[in-house]
Short mmCIF file of all heavy atoms in Angstrom, two decimals:
data_model
loop_
_atom_site.label_atom_id
_atom_site.label_comp_id
_atom_site.label_asym_id
_atom_site.label_seq_id
_atom_site.Cartn_x
_atom_site.Cartn_y
_atom_site.Cartn_z
N GLU G 1 165.71 106.51 113.35
CA GLU G 1 165.11 107.72 113.81
C GLU G 1 165.48 107.99 115.29
O GLU G 1 165.79 109.12 115.65
CB GLU G 1 163.57 107.69 113.71
CG GLU G 1 162.92 108.98 114.04
CD GLU G 1 161.43 108.98 113.77
OE1 GLU G 1 160.82 107.94 113.49
OE2 GLU G 1 160.84 110.11 113.67
N ARG G 2 165.48 106.94 116.06
CA ARG G 2 165.94 107.09 117.49
C ARG G 2 167.35 107.55 117.53
O ARG G 2 167.71 108.47 118.27
CB ARG G 2 165.77 105.76 118.20
CG ARG G 2 166.10 105.88 119.70
CD ARG G 2 166.09 104.48 120.35
NE ARG G 2 167.21 103.62 119.91
CZ ARG G 2 167.13 102.58 119.18
NH1 ARG G 2 165.87 102.09 118.78
NH2 ARG G 2 168.18 101.85 118.82
N ARG G 3 168.25 106.96 116.77
CA ARG G 3 169.67 107.28 116.71
C ARG G 3 169.83 108.75 116.17
O ARG G 3 170.66 109.50 116.68
CB ARG G 3 170.41 106.33 115.88
CG ARG G 3 170.43 104.92 116.36
CD ARG G 3 170.96 103.95 115.32
NE ARG G 3 171.01 102.60 115.86
CZ ARG G 3 171.47 101.60 115.08
NH1 ARG G 3 171.92 101.81 113.88
NH2 ARG G 3 171.53 100.36 115.59
N ARG G 4 169.04 109.09 115.21
CA ARG G 4 169.12 110.49 114.65
C ARG G 4 168.83 111.46 115.79
O ARG G 4 169.57 112.48 115.95
CB ARG G 4 168.09 110.70 113.53
CG ARG G 4 167.99 112.14 113.09
CD ARG G 4 166.72 112.47 112.37
NE ARG G 4 165.54 112.44 113.27
CZ ARG G 4 164.40 113.07 113.05
NH1 ARG G 4 164.26 113.83 111.96
NH2 ARG G 4 163.40 112.97 113.89
N ASN G 5 167.79 111.23 116.54
CA ASN G 5 167.42 112.17 117.62
C ASN G 5 168.54 112.23 118.63
O ASN G 5 168.82 113.29 119.17
CB ASN G 5 166.11 111.69 118.27
CG ASN G 5 164.92 111.79 117.31
OD1 ASN G 5 164.96 112.54 116.33
ND2 ASN G 5 163.84 111.08 117.61
N LEU G 6 169.14 111.11 118.95
CA LEU G 6 170.20 111.00 119.96
C LEU G 6 171.45 111.73 119.50
O LEU G 6 171.92 112.60 120.25
CB LEU G 6 170.53 109.55 120.21
CG LEU G 6 171.68 109.33 121.22
CD1 LEU G 6 171.35 109.81 122.65
CD2 LEU G 6 172.01 107.78 121.23
N ILE G 7 171.92 111.51 118.29
CA ILE G 7 173.16 112.15 117.86
C ILE G 7 173.02 113.59 117.63
O ILE G 7 173.87 114.40 117.89
CB ILE G 7 173.73 111.43 116.63
CG1 ILE G 7 175.21 111.82 116.42
CG2 ILE G 7 172.90 111.71 115.35
CD1 ILE G 7 175.90 111.01 115.34
N THR G 8 171.78 114.02 117.16
CA THR G 8 171.51 115.44 116.95
C THR G 8 171.51 116.20 118.25
O THR G 8 172.08 117.30 118.39
CB THR G 8 170.16 115.67 116.20
OG1 THR G 8 170.24 114.90 114.97
CG2 THR G 8 169.97 117.11 115.85
N GLU G 9 170.82 115.62 119.25
CA GLU G 9 170.72 116.24 120.57
C GLU G 9 172.10 116.37 121.22
O GLU G 9 172.53 117.48 121.71
CB GLU G 9 169.85 115.42 121.47
CG GLU G 9 169.70 116.00 122.92
CD GLU G 9 168.87 115.10 123.83
OE1 GLU G 9 168.30 114.06 123.34
OE2 GLU G 9 168.83 115.40 125.05
N LEU G 10 172.88 115.29 121.19
CA LEU G 10 174.23 115.32 121.78
C LEU G 10 175.21 116.31 121.05
O LEU G 10 175.95 117.02 121.65
CB LEU G 10 174.80 113.93 121.84
CG LEU G 10 174.05 112.91 122.71
CD1 LEU G 10 174.68 111.58 122.62
CD2 LEU G 10 174.04 113.39 124.19
N THR G 11 175.17 116.28 119.75
CA THR G 11 176.07 117.14 118.97
C THR G 11 175.76 118.58 119.11
O THR G 11 176.60 119.46 119.21
CB THR G 11 176.03 116.72 117.45
OG1 THR G 11 176.35 115.32 117.35
CG2 THR G 11 177.05 117.48 116.64
N SER G 12 174.42 118.86 119.18
CA SER G 12 174.04 120.28 119.37
C SER G 12 174.47 120.88 120.66
O SER G 12 174.51 122.12 120.83
CB SER G 12 172.53 120.42 119.16
OG SER G 12 171.86 119.70 120.23
N GLU G 13 174.87 120.08 121.58
CA GLU G 13 175.33 120.57 122.92
C GLU G 13 176.78 120.93 122.92
O GLU G 13 177.29 121.46 123.87
CB GLU G 13 175.04 119.48 123.96
CG GLU G 13 173.56 119.24 124.27
CD GLU G 13 173.29 118.06 125.19
OE1 GLU G 13 174.32 117.39 125.56
OE2 GLU G 13 172.14 117.88 125.55
N ILE G 14 177.50 120.61 121.83
CA ILE G 14 178.92 120.93 121.72
C ILE G 14 179.12 122.31 121.19
O ILE G 14 178.66 122.64 120.09
CB ILE G 14 179.65 119.91 120.81
CG1 ILE G 14 179.51 118.48 121.33
CG2 ILE G 14 181.12 120.26 120.69
CD1 ILE G 14 180.13 117.45 120.44
N ASP G 15 179.72 123.23 122.00
CA ASP G 15 180.01 124.55 121.61
C ASP G 15 180.86 124.60 120.36
O ASP G 15 181.87 123.91 120.23
CB ASP G 15 180.70 125.34 122.70
CG ASP G 15 179.80 125.60 123.91
OD1 ASP G 15 178.60 125.57 123.73
OD2 ASP G 15 180.32 125.89 124.96
N GLY G 16 180.40 125.34 119.34
CA GLY G 16 181.16 125.51 118.15
C GLY G 16 180.61 124.71 116.99
O GLY G 16 180.99 124.99 115.83
N LEU G 17 179.84 123.73 117.24
CA LEU G 17 179.21 122.92 116.18
C LEU G 17 177.79 123.30 115.98
O LEU G 17 177.04 123.59 116.92
CB LEU G 17 179.24 121.43 116.50
CG LEU G 17 180.62 120.74 116.56
CD1 LEU G 17 180.44 119.25 116.87
CD2 LEU G 17 181.38 120.94 115.24
N GLU G 18 177.38 123.41 114.71
CA GLU G 18 176.00 123.83 114.34
C GLU G 18 175.40 122.65 113.53
O GLU G 18 176.04 121.99 112.68
CB GLU G 18 175.95 125.04 113.44
CG GLU G 18 176.49 126.28 114.10
CD GLU G 18 176.45 127.49 113.17
OE1 GLU G 18 175.31 127.84 112.69
OE2 GLU G 18 177.54 128.04 112.81
N VAL G 19 174.11 122.33 113.86
CA VAL G 19 173.48 121.17 113.24
C VAL G 19 172.10 121.49 112.73
O VAL G 19 171.38 122.28 113.33
CB VAL G 19 173.46 119.97 114.21
CG1 VAL G 19 174.84 119.49 114.58
CG2 VAL G 19 172.64 120.24 115.42
N HIS G 20 171.71 120.81 111.64
CA HIS G 20 170.28 120.75 111.21
C HIS G 20 169.82 119.36 111.53
O HIS G 20 170.56 118.39 111.44
CB HIS G 20 170.20 120.97 109.71
CG HIS G 20 170.36 122.36 109.22
ND1 HIS G 20 169.58 123.39 109.77
CD2 HIS G 20 171.16 122.97 108.33
CE1 HIS G 20 169.99 124.55 109.19
NE2 HIS G 20 170.87 124.29 108.32
N LEU G 21 168.58 119.29 111.94
CA LEU G 21 167.95 117.96 112.22
C LEU G 21 167.74 117.27 110.82
O LEU G 21 166.98 117.72 110.05
CB LEU G 21 166.65 118.13 112.93
CG LEU G 21 165.89 116.86 113.31
CD1 LEU G 21 166.64 116.10 114.38
CD2 LEU G 21 164.45 117.16 113.77
N PRO G 22 168.40 116.13 110.59
CA PRO G 22 168.26 115.44 109.30
C PRO G 22 166.83 114.91 109.23
O PRO G 22 166.21 114.46 110.15
CB PRO G 22 169.28 114.30 109.38
CG PRO G 22 170.22 114.65 110.50
CD PRO G 22 169.36 115.43 111.47
N GLU G 23 166.26 114.93 107.97
CA GLU G 23 164.92 114.47 107.72
C GLU G 23 164.93 113.04 107.11
O GLU G 23 163.87 112.45 106.95
CB GLU G 23 164.22 115.41 106.72
CG GLU G 23 164.02 116.85 107.35
CD GLU G 23 163.43 117.78 106.30
OE1 GLU G 23 163.89 117.79 105.14
OE2 GLU G 23 162.41 118.51 106.64
N GLY G 24 166.12 112.58 106.76
CA GLY G 24 166.21 111.24 106.21
C GLY G 24 167.62 110.74 106.17
O GLY G 24 168.59 111.39 106.69
N ALA G 25 167.81 109.53 105.60
CA ALA G 25 169.11 108.82 105.53
C ALA G 25 169.60 108.60 106.97
O ALA G 25 168.83 108.60 107.90
CB ALA G 25 170.16 109.60 104.65
N PHE G 26 170.92 108.35 107.08
CA PHE G 26 171.48 108.14 108.42
C PHE G 26 172.82 108.89 108.66
O PHE G 26 173.80 108.30 109.13
CB PHE G 26 171.65 106.65 108.80
CG PHE G 26 172.11 105.78 107.66
CD1 PHE G 26 173.39 105.85 107.13
CD2 PHE G 26 171.25 104.82 107.14
CE1 PHE G 26 173.83 105.05 106.12
CE2 PHE G 26 171.67 103.96 106.15
CZ PHE G 26 172.95 104.06 105.63
N TYR G 27 172.80 110.18 108.27
CA TYR G 27 173.98 111.01 108.42
C TYR G 27 173.60 112.33 109.08
O TYR G 27 172.56 112.87 108.94
CB TYR G 27 174.52 111.36 107.00
CG TYR G 27 174.81 110.16 106.18
CD1 TYR G 27 174.00 109.85 105.08
CD2 TYR G 27 175.86 109.30 106.42
CE1 TYR G 27 174.25 108.75 104.26
CE2 TYR G 27 176.16 108.22 105.65
CZ TYR G 27 175.35 107.92 104.52
OH TYR G 27 175.53 106.79 103.76
N LEU G 28 174.60 112.82 109.86
CA LEU G 28 174.56 114.15 110.42
C LEU G 28 175.70 114.91 109.76
O LEU G 28 176.79 114.37 109.64
CB LEU G 28 174.68 114.12 111.93
CG LEU G 28 174.42 115.45 112.65
CD1 LEU G 28 172.86 115.76 112.56
CD2 LEU G 28 174.75 115.32 114.17
N PHE G 29 175.41 116.20 109.40
CA PHE G 29 176.46 116.99 108.63
C PHE G 29 176.67 118.30 109.36
O PHE G 29 176.21 119.36 108.89
CB PHE G 29 175.95 117.16 107.21
CG PHE G 29 177.06 117.49 106.23
CD1 PHE G 29 178.08 116.53 105.96
CD2 PHE G 29 177.00 118.62 105.45
CE1 PHE G 29 179.04 116.80 105.03
CE2 PHE G 29 178.00 118.91 104.56
CZ PHE G 29 179.05 118.01 104.31
N PRO G 30 177.34 118.31 110.50
CA PRO G 30 177.46 119.53 111.30
C PRO G 30 178.44 120.49 110.66
O PRO G 30 179.34 120.14 109.96
CB PRO G 30 178.05 119.00 112.64
CG PRO G 30 177.84 117.56 112.68
CD PRO G 30 177.87 117.12 111.24
N LYS G 31 178.17 121.78 110.92
CA LYS G 31 179.09 122.86 110.48
C LYS G 31 180.15 122.98 111.61
O LYS G 31 179.91 123.17 112.74
CB LYS G 31 178.38 124.15 110.35
CG LYS G 31 179.15 125.27 109.72
CD LYS G 31 178.26 126.47 109.51
CE LYS G 31 178.97 127.61 108.87
NZ LYS G 31 178.15 128.82 108.66
N CYS G 32 181.44 122.91 111.16
CA CYS G 32 182.53 122.85 112.05
C CYS G 32 183.55 124.05 111.85
O CYS G 32 184.63 124.08 112.44
CB CYS G 32 183.29 121.51 112.01
SG CYS G 32 183.98 121.13 110.38
N SER G 33 183.21 124.99 110.95
CA SER G 33 184.14 126.02 110.57
C SER G 33 184.61 126.88 111.67
O SER G 33 185.65 127.59 111.52
CB SER G 33 183.57 126.81 109.40
OG SER G 33 182.35 127.35 109.74
N SER G 34 183.92 126.92 112.75
CA SER G 34 184.33 127.83 113.89
C SER G 34 185.60 127.37 114.54
O SER G 34 186.23 128.08 115.25
CB SER G 34 183.16 127.85 114.95
OG SER G 34 183.06 126.66 115.64
N PHE G 35 186.00 126.07 114.26
CA PHE G 35 187.23 125.56 114.80
C PHE G 35 188.44 125.76 113.92
O PHE G 35 189.55 125.48 114.31
CB PHE G 35 187.07 124.04 115.10
CG PHE G 35 186.13 123.71 116.25
CD1 PHE G 35 184.84 123.40 115.97
CD2 PHE G 35 186.56 123.80 117.53
CE1 PHE G 35 183.92 123.14 116.98
CE2 PHE G 35 185.65 123.52 118.55
CZ PHE G 35 184.34 123.19 118.31
N PHE G 36 188.25 126.33 112.72
CA PHE G 36 189.31 126.48 111.80
C PHE G 36 190.25 127.61 112.33
O PHE G 36 189.78 128.69 112.77
CB PHE G 36 188.85 126.93 110.40
CG PHE G 36 188.00 125.85 109.72
CD1 PHE G 36 187.36 126.13 108.49
CD2 PHE G 36 187.91 124.55 110.25
CE1 PHE G 36 186.59 125.16 107.86
CE2 PHE G 36 187.15 123.59 109.61
CZ PHE G 36 186.46 123.90 108.44
N GLY G 37 191.53 127.31 112.31
CA GLY G 37 192.49 128.25 112.87
C GLY G 37 192.91 127.94 114.28
O GLY G 37 193.86 128.47 114.86
N LYS G 38 192.15 127.05 114.92
CA LYS G 38 192.46 126.68 116.31
C LYS G 38 193.45 125.52 116.37
O LYS G 38 193.72 124.78 115.41
CB LYS G 38 191.15 126.30 117.04
CG LYS G 38 190.18 127.43 117.18
CD LYS G 38 189.08 127.07 118.12
CE LYS G 38 188.11 128.31 118.37
NZ LYS G 38 187.00 128.01 119.27
N THR G 39 194.12 125.34 117.54
CA THR G 39 195.11 124.34 117.75
C THR G 39 195.02 123.75 119.11
O THR G 39 194.57 124.33 120.01
CB THR G 39 196.53 124.98 117.55
OG1 THR G 39 197.55 123.99 117.71
CG2 THR G 39 196.80 126.14 118.51
N ASP G 40 195.58 122.51 119.15
CA ASP G 40 195.68 121.82 120.51
C ASP G 40 197.13 121.98 121.03
O ASP G 40 197.47 121.35 122.06
CB ASP G 40 195.27 120.38 120.39
CG ASP G 40 196.28 119.59 119.55
OD1 ASP G 40 197.03 120.16 118.79
OD2 ASP G 40 196.20 118.31 119.61
N GLY G 41 197.91 122.76 120.36
CA GLY G 41 199.32 122.98 120.76
C GLY G 41 200.26 122.26 119.82
O GLY G 41 201.44 122.64 119.78
N THR G 42 199.78 121.20 119.17
CA THR G 42 200.69 120.51 118.22
C THR G 42 200.12 120.46 116.81
O THR G 42 200.86 120.41 115.85
CB THR G 42 200.91 119.06 118.68
OG1 THR G 42 199.61 118.39 118.83
CG2 THR G 42 201.61 119.02 120.07
N ARG G 43 198.78 120.49 116.73
CA ARG G 43 198.10 120.44 115.44
C ARG G 43 197.29 121.69 115.24
O ARG G 43 196.58 122.08 116.20
CB ARG G 43 197.27 119.22 115.31
CG ARG G 43 198.10 117.91 115.21
CD ARG G 43 197.23 116.66 115.50
NE ARG G 43 196.88 116.61 116.91
CZ ARG G 43 196.55 115.51 117.55
NH1 ARG G 43 196.44 114.38 116.88
NH2 ARG G 43 196.22 115.52 118.83
N VAL G 44 197.26 122.23 114.02
CA VAL G 44 196.40 123.38 113.68
C VAL G 44 195.29 122.88 112.74
O VAL G 44 195.53 122.19 111.78
CB VAL G 44 197.22 124.51 113.00
CG1 VAL G 44 196.24 125.67 112.68
CG2 VAL G 44 198.33 124.99 113.93
N ILE G 45 194.04 123.26 113.05
CA ILE G 45 192.92 122.90 112.22
C ILE G 45 192.70 123.96 111.20
O ILE G 45 192.17 125.04 111.47
CB ILE G 45 191.61 122.78 113.10
CG1 ILE G 45 191.91 121.87 114.33
CG2 ILE G 45 190.47 122.18 112.25
CD1 ILE G 45 192.28 120.49 113.99
N ASN G 46 193.11 123.67 109.91
CA ASN G 46 192.97 124.70 108.85
C ASN G 46 191.77 124.51 108.03
O ASN G 46 191.27 125.41 107.38
CB ASN G 46 194.17 124.60 107.95
CG ASN G 46 195.50 125.06 108.64
OD1 ASN G 46 195.51 126.09 109.26
ND2 ASN G 46 196.48 124.20 108.57
#
């Protein structure tokens, strides 16, 4: 539970990622589709 709170708080601060606070298990499942089509100059995120 402590780790859930930590990873959710930190991940929610990253622009472009959307998160729901998990109610159980030990996984976070952020939405990352806002990065599709973007590139670092060598790789494209499709």
Side-chain angles (χ1 to χ4, degrees):
E1 184 170 18
R2 184 187 70 247
R3 295 168 179 182
R4 173 202 68 157
N5 295 339
L6 176 63
I7 196 170
T8 303
E9 178 184 355
L10 295 176
T11 304
S12 64
E13 293 173 355
I14 299 176
D15 288 341
L17 293 182
E18 299 179 59
V19 298
H20 284 307
L21 182 69
E23 297 175 313
F26 39 67
Y27 307 107
L28 192 67
F29 203 62
K31 188 175 182 181
C32 60
S33 54
S34 68
F35 291 96
F36 297 172
K38 294 188 176 182
T39 179
D40 66 346
T42 58
R43 290 163 289 205
V44 178
I45 310 299
N46 294 308

